[in-house]
Amino acid sequence: MKRYVKGFEYIPLIIILIVSYKLLNNFQIVKDAYWFAIGIFMPFLWGFTFAYLINPLMMLIEKKFKVKRFVSVIIAYA
């Protein structure tokens, strides 16, 4: 037989409210952490975007001129 504690279903809501209050109470720290994380991930995002945009050109060079991938990468970057 299961024992049911009255009000037990409200615990996740209470935890969410406490965490929300702490985040709003320390907004400057949260904002600084956000911009720190953005500063770390931004070079990776730029790299993935650049690679995604250069890939079709690189594949076209590979197929049209029948060169190896290394050569097509150098030509595409140039």
Side-chain angles (χ1 to χ4, degrees), residues 11-25:
I11 289 179
L13 178 64
I14 292 170
I15 291 172
I16 290 171
L17 288 173
I18 290 172
V19 169
S20 299
Y21 171 75
K22 288 294 186 181
L23 287 174
L24 289 174
N25 198 23

Side-chain angles (χ1 to χ4, degrees), residues 3 7 9 25 28 39 66:
R3 288 188 160 191
E9 66 270 5
N25 198 23
Q28 186 63 37
K66 306 239 188 292

